[in-house]
Amino acid sequence: MNRRVGISRLASLGPWLAVVVLLCAGSCVHAEEEPPAEYIKHTHVFRLILQHASHLKFVDSLTKNDDPQHCVIVVLGDPSGLERIPGGLDRFLRMGGALLFATDRRAWNTPLQSYSIRITGEIVACNNPAKIYRGTKACPFIESTPNDSTGLFGGPIDAEAVGDQNRIATNVTSYLAPDFFGVPVLANLPGDCFRVNNKWEPVERFPRQMPFAVGGPVSRGGGRLLVLADHSVFINLMMQKTDNGNARFALRVAKWLTESGKRERILFVEDGVPKSGVKAEQLQALPIPPEIPKPSLDALIGVGDRLLSDLEQEDVFNKFLVDKVPLPRLMRLLLILLTVLVVYYGFSRSRRGRHRLETAAPLLAIAVRRGKPNAGAIELRHQSLVSGNNLWEPARVLARQFFESALGGALASPTTGRVRLPPFQVKLRGLRGWFMAQRVRRLWRFAHQPVPQPVTMRQFRKFARKVADLKDAVARGRIRFSSTPQPSVAR
């Protein structure tokens, strides 16, 4: 098989190899040679990608006899690893070599000084939730620049990835001193970053975005240089996560450094120690962090009380006013505020004292027209009785009409004086006759009772049926009244 054809095929399989690496990193784990706390700081996944996706052969050292056009050097962490470059950095790049240097430590007097590339070693943090990884202020995402001609940072890292899977996350990163020249800036830290001290207290907020990555072709011989201000981008802790683009970015870096298989040998120096290639079996599962219990409401209230108590004891609010607002200016502001309040109070009192026309009330002519009844007195009386649900008056009139028709108007009229119920006979025998006689007596008392009694609509209907039954009994001769009245008080 042609060697060039084999290398190109392996390069084309790079994305699939990266997927295999991620799957292995998430599931398999053997080799308990190193404790997980140390494993997460190492670069097994990155070396596996370089070894398989770019078909690189790891070596312990390089000499001047090695052709730089076929070599890649990766220096992570300790800047002293740059001293292992045979013949010096300038010669290596001028003769077509490729170098990746990444560290968050202070790198001031290094071979990169010839390009004025210096790493400050100062810690950077960010509080913007949209620009940090997993809400951790020590892990800001990287933002590409328009000068990225390498294509390492610009555009989506993977067309099938979504969200943060296309973003490169740092971990306790530093930044480059912004006074270099000759090498373009490829990526910056977010604009909301600030410098912190060892206690993670804010020290200085940056006025602009600070450079994170520089690089590109640096000589006519085809040399390639990439410098990052954080080597933790490539550690196992960040590479084995599936919710960032670090592993995909590492695959892109591997292809760019090797020019898709052109370079075949690699010297990988991690913290000053050369590293060899790895096998997939050497990957370990990341330790699962313990779940943090949610604080109770009482605990949160207690923390808030202690915080406010501390602020009051230190007199923070008064000190802030004294420091930020001078006393003459404070008195002037208070006088202006008092004047505004007095004017507002006087204006509100004056508005309350003025006469207002009630727009919701109707005009006099309309009110009179509405109050005028549209029906006659009898109809209005009927409506009043129905609406009040008390039909005592119609019931009493109905009872008196019964006795007027049975006895005659003179005996039944209340104007002739109060009389007793005239004698009457019921021709029915037994219990039926007794009940009918009692009904006649109750009807007589109701007809001559002067005190009103409540009679609902339902009761009036039953009352009318009973009166009708009594009229039918009189018509049939079952009830006969005597024509001689007996004066007395009605009972």
Side-chain angles (χ1 to χ4, degrees):
M1 182 180 67
N2 192 326
R3 186 175 183 80
R4 292 186 178 179
V5 174
I7 292 175
S8 63
R9 287 181 178 177
L10 285 173
S12 64
L13 292 176
W16 297 102
L17 290 173
V19 173
V20 172
V21 168
L22 290 175
L23 291 176
C24 292
S27 58
C28 79
V29 219
H30 302 282
E32 296 292 339
E33 299 176 358
E34 298 177 88
E38 292 296 327
Y39 170 80
I40 62 177
K41 301 177 183 179
H42 290 178
T43 56
H44 295 75
V45 178
F46 186 31
R47 282 181 279 157
L48 188 64
I49 291 176
L50 290 170
Q51 181 177 339
H52 291 278
S54 301
H55 196 68
L56 286 170
K57 179 181 179 181
F58 282 75
V59 297
D60 294 334
S61 63
L62 294 175
T63 65
K64 293 183 179 180
N65 297 328
D66 293 316
D67 187 1
Q69 292 185 354
H70 300 286
C71 298
V72 175
I73 297 178
V74 176
V75 179
L76 303 180
D78 192 348
S80 63
L82 295 172
E83 299 175 359
R84 292 179 174 270
I85 301 176
L89 175 63
D90 293 336
R91 174 185 174 275
F92 181 76
L93 294 177
R94 189 169 58 253
M95 296 184 65
L99 171 67
L100 166 62
F101 175 57
T103 184
D104 56 11
R105 305 174 188 177
R106 181 180 174 85
W108 214 256
N109 296 321
T110 67
L112 291 170
Q113 191 174 1
S114 58
Y115 299 95
S116 295
I117 298 176
R118 296 179 296 178
I119 299 176
T120 64
E122 297 172 342
I123 305 174
V124 175
C126 179
N127 284 331
N128 190 339
K131 298 181 180 180
I132 57 179
Y133 176 61
R134 291 191 176 187
T136 306
K137 64 180 181 180
C139 300
F141 287 113
I142 302 305
E143 298 179 355
S144 62
T145 66
N147 299 327
D148 181 15
S149 59
T150 63
L152 293 174
F153 299 90
I157 297 177
D158 189 346
E160 298 181 357
V162 294
D164 291 346
Q165 294 179 348
N166 273 317
R167 305 175 75 181
I168 306 166
T170 61
N171 190 338
V172 191
T173 181
S174 183
Y175 63 96
L176 295 167
D179 55 354
F180 51 84
F181 61 91
V183 183
V185 179
L186 305 180
N188 290 325
L189 293 171
D192 299 329
C193 289
F194 51 89
R195 184 166 61 90
V196 297
N197 56 21
N198 294 333
K199 297 181 180 179
W200 289 97
E201 298 172 345
V203 176
E204 178 187 4
R205 183 169 294 277
F206 298 128
R208 56 187 176 86
Q209 288 183 316
M210 302 305 291
F212 172 82
V214 296
V218 293
S219 67
R220 296 181 180 179
R224 294 193 169 190
L225 174 65
L226 179 61
V227 179
L228 308 179
D230 181 25
H231 63 281
S232 300
V233 172
F234 301 111
I235 63 176
N236 296 332
L237 177 64
M238 305 302 292
M239 296 282 286
Q240 290 185 215
K241 302 293 185 181
T242 58
D243 56 351
N244 61 34
N246 289 29
R248 300 174 181 85
F249 170 70
L251 177 63
R252 183 181 287 185
V253 169
K255 289 185 176 182
W256 184 80
L257 290 174
T258 61
E259 296 188 53
S260 299
K262 175 182 175 181
R263 298 177 176 85
E264 306 168 359
R265 297 163 61 83
I266 180 172
L267 174 61
F268 194 99
V269 183
E270 183 179 344
D271 288 332
V273 180
K275 296 290 184 178
S276 60
V278 296
K279 298 180 180 180
E281 290 79 6
Q282 293 181 260
L283 302 182
Q284 301 182 26
L286 296 180
I288 301 176
E291 184 178 356
I292 301 176
K294 296 181 179 179
S296 63
L297 181 60
D298 294 338
L300 292 176
I301 294 176
V303 172
D305 291 341
R306 289 194 298 271
L307 179 59
L308 292 176
S309 177
D310 294 341
L311 292 176
E312 290 179 358
Q313 291 180 0
E314 296 177 4
D315 203 13
V316 174
F317 303 106
N318 291 335
K319 290 180 180 179
F320 176 79
L321 288 176
V322 172
D323 294 340
K324 299 299 182 181
V325 184
L327 183 58
R329 185 178 180 183
L330 180 61
M331 297 302 295
R332 192 183 311 114
L333 293 176
L334 291 176
L335 181 60
I336 294 174
L337 179 60
L338 180 61
T339 304
V340 171
L341 292 177
V342 171
V343 171
Y344 175 76
Y345 177 77
F347 179 73
S348 61
R349 295 291 298 180
S350 63
R351 285 179 59 85
R352 292 179 184 177
R354 69 186 183 91
H355 174 72
R356 295 184 180 182
L357 180 63
E358 186 62 44
T359 57
L363 298 178
L364 179 60
I366 299 176
V368 172
R369 187 165 59 252
R370 290 179 180 177
K372 184 178 180 181
N374 297 323
I378 298 177
E379 181 65 24
L380 292 176
R381 182 58 179 166
H382 174 72
Q383 293 177 1
S384 176
L385 292 175
V386 173
S387 61
N389 196 24
N390 188 358
L391 303 180
W392 173 74
E393 293 183 2
R396 188 176 64 171
V397 171
L398 190 63
R400 289 179 176 179
Q401 288 178 352
F402 166 75
F403 287 108
E404 288 178 358
S405 60
L407 300 174
L411 291 175
S413 175
T415 57
T416 59
R418 291 186 175 181
V419 295
R420 284 192 175 191
L421 174 64
F424 66 94
Q425 295 179 353
V426 179
K427 290 190 176 183
L428 295 178
R429 296 181 180 180
L431 192 61
R432 291 181 60 191
W434 185 83
F435 276 120
M436 185 170 290
Q438 292 297 325
R439 185 176 297 177
V440 173
R441 295 187 181 95
R442 286 196 299 270
L443 186 61
W444 177 267
R445 288 195 296 270
F446 180 81
H448 295 82
Q449 179 68 30
V451 181
Q453 301 178 8
V455 179
T456 63
M457 180 68 73
R458 184 177 180 181
Q459 293 173 344
F460 180 79
R461 294 193 185 97
K462 293 181 179 180
F463 184 83
R465 288 196 296 269
K466 293 178 180 180
V467 173
D469 293 341
L470 292 177
K471 287 183 178 181
D472 182 67
V474 172
R476 293 185 178 185
R478 295 178 180 177
I479 300 175
R480 290 185 179 180
F481 287 92
S482 175
S483 57
T484 304
Q486 299 179 4
S488 178
V489 177
R491 56 180 179 177

mmCIF file with all atom_site columns, all heavy atoms in Angstrom, residues 311-312 314-325 330:
data_model
loop_
_atom_site.group_PDB
_atom_site.id
_atom_site.type_symbol
_atom_site.label_atom_id
_atom_site.label_alt_id
_atom_site.label_comp_id
_atom_site.label_asym_id
_atom_site.label_entity_id
_atom_site.label_seq_id
_atom_site.pdbx_PDB_ins_code
_atom_site.Cartn_x
_atom_site.Cartn_y
_atom_site.Cartn_z
_atom_site.occupancy
_atom_site.B_iso_or_equiv
_atom_site.pdbx_formal_charge
_atom_site.auth_seq_id
_atom_site.auth_comp_id
_atom_site.auth_asym_id
_atom_site.auth_atom_id
_atom_site.pdbx_PDB_model_num
ATOM 1   N N   . LEU A 1 311 ? -22.555 43.745 57.581 1.00 0.00 ? 311 LEU A N   1
ATOM 2   C CA  . LEU A 1 311 ? -22.542 45.013 56.855 1.00 0.00 ? 311 LEU A CA  1
ATOM 3   C C   . LEU A 1 311 ? -22.890 46.179 57.774 1.00 0.00 ? 311 LEU A C   1
ATOM 4   O O   . LEU A 1 311 ? -22.305 47.271 57.677 1.00 0.00 ? 311 LEU A O   1
ATOM 5   C CB  . LEU A 1 311 ? -23.518 44.955 55.665 1.00 0.00 ? 311 LEU A CB  1
ATOM 6   C CG  . LEU A 1 311 ? -23.141 44.001 54.526 1.00 0.00 ? 311 LEU A CG  1
ATOM 7   C CD1 . LEU A 1 311 ? -24.251 43.975 53.480 1.00 0.00 ? 311 LEU A CD1 1
ATOM 8   C CD2 . LEU A 1 311 ? -21.830 44.406 53.879 1.00 0.00 ? 311 LEU A CD2 1
ATOM 9   N N   . GLU A 1 312 ? -23.846 45.965 58.667 1.00 0.00 ? 312 GLU A N   1
ATOM 10  C CA  . GLU A 1 312 ? -24.227 47.037 59.591 1.00 0.00 ? 312 GLU A CA  1
ATOM 11  C C   . GLU A 1 312 ? -23.106 47.338 60.595 1.00 0.00 ? 312 GLU A C   1
ATOM 12  O O   . GLU A 1 312 ? -22.841 48.488 60.927 1.00 0.00 ? 312 GLU A O   1
ATOM 13  C CB  . GLU A 1 312 ? -25.505 46.643 60.328 1.00 0.00 ? 312 GLU A CB  1
ATOM 14  C CG  . GLU A 1 312 ? -26.746 46.631 59.436 1.00 0.00 ? 312 GLU A CG  1
ATOM 15  C CD  . GLU A 1 312 ? -27.989 46.208 60.202 1.00 0.00 ? 312 GLU A CD  1
ATOM 16  O OE1 . GLU A 1 312 ? -27.843 45.899 61.404 1.00 0.00 ? 312 GLU A OE1 1
ATOM 17  O OE2 . GLU A 1 312 ? -29.078 46.193 59.613 1.00 0.00 ? 312 GLU A OE2 1
ATOM 18  N N   . GLU A 1 314 ? -19.930 46.949 60.157 1.00 0.00 ? 314 GLU A N   1
ATOM 19  C CA  . GLU A 1 314 ? -18.835 47.638 59.478 1.00 0.00 ? 314 GLU A CA  1
ATOM 20  C C   . GLU A 1 314 ? -19.251 48.994 58.926 1.00 0.00 ? 314 GLU A C   1
ATOM 21  O O   . GLU A 1 314 ? -18.413 49.703 58.353 1.00 0.00 ? 314 GLU A O   1
ATOM 22  C CB  . GLU A 1 314 ? -18.309 46.759 58.347 1.00 0.00 ? 314 GLU A CB  1
ATOM 23  C CG  . GLU A 1 314 ? -17.703 45.457 58.836 1.00 0.00 ? 314 GLU A CG  1
ATOM 24  C CD  . GLU A 1 314 ? -17.257 44.568 57.693 1.00 0.00 ? 314 GLU A CD  1
ATOM 25  O OE1 . GLU A 1 314 ? -17.370 45.028 56.529 1.00 0.00 ? 314 GLU A OE1 1
ATOM 26  O OE2 . GLU A 1 314 ? -16.792 43.444 57.942 1.00 0.00 ? 314 GLU A OE2 1
ATOM 27  N N   . ASP A 1 315 ? -20.537 49.334 59.069 1.00 0.00 ? 315 ASP A N   1
ATOM 28  C CA  . ASP A 1 315 ? -21.042 50.634 58.603 1.00 0.00 ? 315 ASP A CA  1
ATOM 29  C C   . ASP A 1 315 ? -20.736 50.834 57.125 1.00 0.00 ? 315 ASP A C   1
ATOM 30  O O   . ASP A 1 315 ? -20.257 51.880 56.685 1.00 0.00 ? 315 ASP A O   1
ATOM 31  C CB  . ASP A 1 315 ? -20.415 51.762 59.427 1.00 0.00 ? 315 ASP A CB  1
ATOM 32  C CG  . ASP A 1 315 ? -21.278 53.019 59.384 1.00 0.00 ? 315 ASP A CG  1
ATOM 33  O OD1 . ASP A 1 315 ? -22.438 52.926 58.947 1.00 0.00 ? 315 ASP A OD1 1
ATOM 34  O OD2 . ASP A 1 315 ? -20.779 54.089 59.767 1.00 0.00 ? 315 ASP A OD2 1
ATOM 35  N N   . VAL A 1 316 ? -21.038 49.787 56.323 1.00 0.00 ? 316 VAL A N   1
ATOM 36  C CA  . VAL A 1 316 ? -20.688 49.805 54.901 1.00 0.00 ? 316 VAL A CA  1
ATOM 37  C C   . VAL A 1 316 ? -21.468 50.871 54.154 1.00 0.00 ? 316 VAL A C   1
ATOM 38  O O   . VAL A 1 316 ? -20.908 51.601 53.316 1.00 0.00 ? 316 VAL A O   1
ATOM 39  C CB  . VAL A 1 316 ? -20.948 48.413 54.292 1.00 0.00 ? 316 VAL A CB  1
ATOM 40  C CG1 . VAL A 1 316 ? -20.735 48.448 52.777 1.00 0.00 ? 316 VAL A CG1 1
ATOM 41  C CG2 . VAL A 1 316 ? -20.019 47.391 54.925 1.00 0.00 ? 316 VAL A CG2 1
ATOM 42  N N   . PHE A 1 317 ? -22.761 51.016 54.454 1.00 0.00 ? 317 PHE A N   1
ATOM 43  C CA  . PHE A 1 317 ? -23.601 51.923 53.681 1.00 0.00 ? 317 PHE A CA  1
ATOM 44  C C   . PHE A 1 317 ? -23.195 53.387 53.921 1.00 0.00 ? 317 PHE A C   1
ATOM 45  O O   . PHE A 1 317 ? -23.097 54.176 52.970 1.00 0.00 ? 317 PHE A O   1
ATOM 46  C CB  . PHE A 1 317 ? -25.075 51.712 54.035 1.00 0.00 ? 317 PHE A CB  1
ATOM 47  C CG  . PHE A 1 317 ? -25.530 50.302 53.822 1.00 0.00 ? 317 PHE A CG  1
ATOM 48  C CD1 . PHE A 1 317 ? -25.748 49.445 54.892 1.00 0.00 ? 317 PHE A CD1 1
ATOM 49  C CD2 . PHE A 1 317 ? -25.735 49.819 52.540 1.00 0.00 ? 317 PHE A CD2 1
ATOM 50  C CE1 . PHE A 1 317 ? -26.157 48.146 54.681 1.00 0.00 ? 317 PHE A CE1 1
ATOM 51  C CE2 . PHE A 1 317 ? -26.151 48.525 52.321 1.00 0.00 ? 317 PHE A CE2 1
ATOM 52  C CZ  . PHE A 1 317 ? -26.352 47.685 53.391 1.00 0.00 ? 317 PHE A CZ  1
ATOM 53  N N   . ASN A 1 318 ? -22.962 53.734 55.193 1.00 0.00 ? 318 ASN A N   1
ATOM 54  C CA  . ASN A 1 318 ? -22.542 55.113 55.470 1.00 0.00 ? 318 ASN A CA  1
ATOM 55  C C   . ASN A 1 318 ? -21.175 55.415 54.880 1.00 0.00 ? 318 ASN A C   1
ATOM 56  O O   . ASN A 1 318 ? -20.934 56.510 54.345 1.00 0.00 ? 318 ASN A O   1
ATOM 57  C CB  . ASN A 1 318 ? -22.523 55.350 56.982 1.00 0.00 ? 318 ASN A CB  1
ATOM 58  C CG  . ASN A 1 318 ? -23.920 55.353 57.582 1.00 0.00 ? 318 ASN A CG  1
ATOM 59  O OD1 . ASN A 1 318 ? -24.890 55.641 56.879 1.00 0.00 ? 318 ASN A OD1 1
ATOM 60  N ND2 . ASN A 1 318 ? -24.024 55.029 58.854 1.00 0.00 ? 318 ASN A ND2 1
ATOM 61  N N   . LYS A 1 319 ? -20.259 54.443 54.963 1.00 0.00 ? 319 LYS A N   1
ATOM 62  C CA  . LYS A 1 319 ? -18.937 54.653 54.378 1.00 0.00 ? 319 LYS A CA  1
ATOM 63  C C   . LYS A 1 319 ? -19.032 54.823 52.871 1.00 0.00 ? 319 LYS A C   1
ATOM 64  O O   . LYS A 1 319 ? -18.309 55.621 52.270 1.00 0.00 ? 319 LYS A O   1
ATOM 65  C CB  . LYS A 1 319 ? -18.028 53.477 54.716 1.00 0.00 ? 319 LYS A CB  1
ATOM 66  C CG  . LYS A 1 319 ? -17.640 53.406 56.183 1.00 0.00 ? 319 LYS A CG  1
ATOM 67  C CD  . LYS A 1 319 ? -16.748 52.210 56.453 1.00 0.00 ? 319 LYS A CD  1
ATOM 68  C CE  . LYS A 1 319 ? -16.350 52.136 57.917 1.00 0.00 ? 319 LYS A CE  1
ATOM 69  N NZ  . LYS A 1 319 ? -15.497 50.949 58.195 1.00 0.00 ? 319 LYS A NZ  1
ATOM 70  N N   . PHE A 1 320 ? -19.944 54.067 52.261 1.00 0.00 ? 320 PHE A N   1
ATOM 71  C CA  . PHE A 1 320 ? -20.109 54.198 50.811 1.00 0.00 ? 320 PHE A CA  1
ATOM 72  C C   . PHE A 1 320 ? -20.614 55.585 50.443 1.00 0.00 ? 320 PHE A C   1
ATOM 73  O O   . PHE A 1 320 ? -20.120 56.217 49.499 1.00 0.00 ? 320 PHE A O   1
ATOM 74  C CB  . PHE A 1 320 ? -21.087 53.131 50.315 1.00 0.00 ? 320 PHE A CB  1
ATOM 75  C CG  . PHE A 1 320 ? -21.413 53.241 48.853 1.00 0.00 ? 320 PHE A CG  1
ATOM 76  C CD1 . PHE A 1 320 ? -20.546 52.766 47.891 1.00 0.00 ? 320 PHE A CD1 1
ATOM 77  C CD2 . PHE A 1 320 ? -22.602 53.840 48.437 1.00 0.00 ? 320 PHE A CD2 1
ATOM 78  C CE1 . PHE A 1 320 ? -20.845 52.873 46.543 1.00 0.00 ? 320 PHE A CE1 1
ATOM 79  C CE2 . PHE A 1 320 ? -22.905 53.956 47.100 1.00 0.00 ? 320 PHE A CE2 1
ATOM 80  C CZ  . PHE A 1 320 ? -22.019 53.466 46.144 1.00 0.00 ? 320 PHE A CZ  1
ATOM 81  N N   . LEU A 1 321 ? -21.603 56.093 51.206 1.00 0.00 ? 321 LEU A N   1
ATOM 82  C CA  . LEU A 1 321 ? -22.128 57.434 50.910 1.00 0.00 ? 321 LEU A CA  1
ATOM 83  C C   . LEU A 1 321 ? -21.068 58.504 51.135 1.00 0.00 ? 321 LEU A C   1
ATOM 84  O O   . LEU A 1 321 ? -20.923 59.435 50.333 1.00 0.00 ? 321 LEU A O   1
ATOM 85  C CB  . LEU A 1 321 ? -23.352 57.707 51.790 1.00 0.00 ? 321 LEU A CB  1
ATOM 86  C CG  . LEU A 1 321 ? -24.636 56.941 51.437 1.00 0.00 ? 321 LEU A CG  1
ATOM 87  C CD1 . LEU A 1 321 ? -25.722 57.243 52.445 1.00 0.00 ? 321 LEU A CD1 1
ATOM 88  C CD2 . LEU A 1 321 ? -25.101 57.291 50.032 1.00 0.00 ? 321 LEU A CD2 1
ATOM 89  N N   . VAL A 1 322 ? -20.301 58.360 52.212 1.00 0.00 ? 322 VAL A N   1
ATOM 90  C CA  . VAL A 1 322 ? -19.280 59.368 52.499 1.00 0.00 ? 322 VAL A CA  1
ATOM 91  C C   . VAL A 1 322 ? -18.178 59.350 51.451 1.00 0.00 ? 322 VAL A C   1
ATOM 92  O O   . VAL A 1 322 ? -17.676 60.395 51.014 1.00 0.00 ? 322 VAL A O   1
ATOM 93  C CB  . VAL A 1 322 ? -18.707 59.143 53.914 1.00 0.00 ? 322 VAL A CB  1
ATOM 94  C CG1 . VAL A 1 322 ? -17.511 60.059 54.161 1.00 0.00 ? 322 VAL A CG1 1
ATOM 95  C CG2 . VAL A 1 322 ? -19.782 59.384 54.957 1.00 0.00 ? 322 VAL A CG2 1
ATOM 96  N N   . ASP A 1 323 ? -17.798 58.135 51.014 1.00 0.00 ? 323 ASP A N   1
ATOM 97  C CA  . ASP A 1 323 ? -16.707 58.035 50.040 1.00 0.00 ? 323 ASP A CA  1
ATOM 98  C C   . ASP A 1 323 ? -17.136 58.464 48.645 1.00 0.00 ? 323 ASP A C   1
ATOM 99  O O   . ASP A 1 323 ? -16.372 59.102 47.913 1.00 0.00 ? 323 ASP A O   1
ATOM 100 C CB  . ASP A 1 323 ? -16.186 56.594 49.996 1.00 0.00 ? 323 ASP A CB  1
ATOM 101 C CG  . ASP A 1 323 ? -15.529 56.192 51.318 1.00 0.00 ? 323 ASP A CG  1
ATOM 102 O OD1 . ASP A 1 323 ? -15.153 57.116 52.071 1.00 0.00 ? 323 ASP A OD1 1
ATOM 103 O OD2 . ASP A 1 323 ? -15.408 54.982 51.579 1.00 0.00 ? 323 ASP A OD2 1
ATOM 104 N N   . LYS A 1 324 ? -18.352 58.099 48.265 1.00 0.00 ? 324 LYS A N   1
ATOM 105 C CA  . LYS A 1 324 ? -18.795 58.352 46.886 1.00 0.00 ? 324 LYS A CA  1
ATOM 106 C C   . LYS A 1 324 ? -19.478 59.710 46.733 1.00 0.00 ? 324 LYS A C   1
ATOM 107 O O   . LYS A 1 324 ? -19.431 60.286 45.643 1.00 0.00 ? 324 LYS A O   1
ATOM 108 C CB  . LYS A 1 324 ? -19.756 57.244 46.439 1.00 0.00 ? 324 LYS A CB  1
ATOM 109 C CG  . LYS A 1 324 ? -19.139 55.853 46.439 1.00 0.00 ? 324 LYS A CG  1
ATOM 110 C CD  . LYS A 1 324 ? -17.965 55.748 45.486 1.00 0.00 ? 324 LYS A CD  1
ATOM 111 C CE  . LYS A 1 324 ? -17.389 54.333 45.469 1.00 0.00 ? 324 LYS A CE  1
ATOM 112 N NZ  . LYS A 1 324 ? -16.221 54.214 44.567 1.00 0.00 ? 324 LYS A NZ  1
ATOM 113 N N   . VAL A 1 325 ? -20.150 60.207 47.779 1.00 0.00 ? 325 VAL A N   1
ATOM 114 C CA  . VAL A 1 325 ? -20.898 61.461 47.673 1.00 0.00 ? 325 VAL A CA  1
ATOM 115 C C   . VAL A 1 325 ? -20.365 62.433 48.727 1.00 0.00 ? 325 VAL A C   1
ATOM 116 O O   . VAL A 1 325 ? -20.539 62.198 49.929 1.00 0.00 ? 325 VAL A O   1
ATOM 117 C CB  . VAL A 1 325 ? -22.416 61.222 47.892 1.00 0.00 ? 325 VAL A CB  1
ATOM 118 C CG1 . VAL A 1 325 ? -23.180 62.521 47.678 1.00 0.00 ? 325 VAL A CG1 1
ATOM 119 C CG2 . VAL A 1 325 ? -22.924 60.151 46.940 1.00 0.00 ? 325 VAL A CG2 1
ATOM 120 N N   . LEU A 1 330 ? -24.251 65.982 48.946 1.00 0.00 ? 330 LEU A N   1
ATOM 121 C CA  . LEU A 1 330 ? -25.338 65.253 49.578 1.00 0.00 ? 330 LEU A CA  1
ATOM 122 C C   . LEU A 1 330 ? -26.406 66.202 50.105 1.00 0.00 ? 330 LEU A C   1
ATOM 123 O O   . LEU A 1 330 ? -27.613 65.958 49.940 1.00 0.00 ? 330 LEU A O   1
ATOM 124 C CB  . LEU A 1 330 ? -24.782 64.390 50.712 1.00 0.00 ? 330 LEU A CB  1
ATOM 125 C CG  . LEU A 1 330 ? -25.791 63.556 51.496 1.00 0.00 ? 330 LEU A CG  1
ATOM 126 C CD1 . LEU A 1 330 ? -26.509 62.570 50.586 1.00 0.00 ? 330 LEU A CD1 1
ATOM 127 C CD2 . LEU A 1 330 ? -25.106 62.804 52.633 1.00 0.00 ? 330 LEU A CD2 1
#
